[in-house]
């Protein structure tokens, strides 16, 4: 499912523009600006599935680095520092990856 079916294209562009600079990514602000916080838990889980590129049921560190590209091909790669901070914020069970419920909880925290 394309992100544009769940989120407004203008909001996606605004969010990506806000975090164009390396090491500027803030997941809480990104989720708010892109419109994820306003989505239902069910729709947030659809976004998760779109970001889970290998369909493993988890967003692993390698996928997380490219998470902004999941919203738009114009998105940049996250830096190692940003990726590790994002993973640390979401990975509540310490397994080194983000599950669907962890992602939904992070979006709506």
């Amino acid at each position: 499912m394309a992100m544009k079916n769940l989120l407004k294209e203008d909001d996606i562009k605004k969010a990506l523009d806000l975090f164009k600079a390396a090491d500027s990514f803030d997941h809480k602000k990104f989720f708010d600006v892109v419109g994820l916080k306003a989505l239902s838990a069910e729709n947030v889980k659809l976004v998760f599935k779109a970001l889970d590129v290998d369909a493993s049921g988890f967003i692993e560190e390698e996928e997380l680095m490219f998470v902004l590209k999941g919203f738009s091909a114009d998105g940049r790669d996250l830096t190692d520092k940003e990726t590790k901070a994002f993973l640390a914020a979401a990975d509540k069970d310490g397994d080194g990856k983000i599950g669907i419920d962890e992602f939904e909880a992070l979006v709506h925290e």
Side-chain angles (χ1 to χ4, degrees):
M1 170 169 290
M3 289 294 174
K4 293 174 187 163
N5 293 344
L6 296 166
L7 302 167
K8 295 178 186 153
E9 196 168 347
D10 287 347
D11 290 343
I12 294 171
K13 182 175 179 3
K14 190 185 321 174
L16 292 176
D17 286 347
L18 193 61
F19 299 106
K20 266 198 188 306
D23 292 323
S24 66
F25 185 74
D26 175 324
H27 66 273
K28 289 180 184 180
K29 193 165 186 181
F30 180 81
F31 292 158
D32 190 37
V33 174
V34 83
L36 264 178
K37 279 188 149 328
L39 293 180
S40 67
E42 181 180 320
N43 282 337
V44 168
K45 289 178 180 184
L46 291 175
V47 169
F48 174 91
K49 289 177 182 176
L51 296 174
D52 178 18
V53 177
D54 65 3
S56 67
F58 297 94
I59 298 174
E60 293 88 2
E61 189 170 344
E62 301 78 35
E63 290 171 316
L64 199 55
M65 186 175 287
F66 307 113
V67 74
L68 296 180
K69 287 188 184 334
F71 289 88
S72 171
D74 298 334
R76 69 171 176 86
D77 295 347
L78 295 183
T79 65
D80 284 342
K81 179 180 168 185
E82 290 170 318
T83 302
K84 288 185 186 325
F86 194 177
L87 183 61
D91 181 21
K92 298 301 182 198
D93 63 8
D95 64 358
K97 52 195 174 188
I98 302 169
I100 196 165
D101 293 327
E102 289 172 319
F103 183 76
E104 192 275 325
L106 185 69
V107 168
H108 288 131
E109 73 178 8

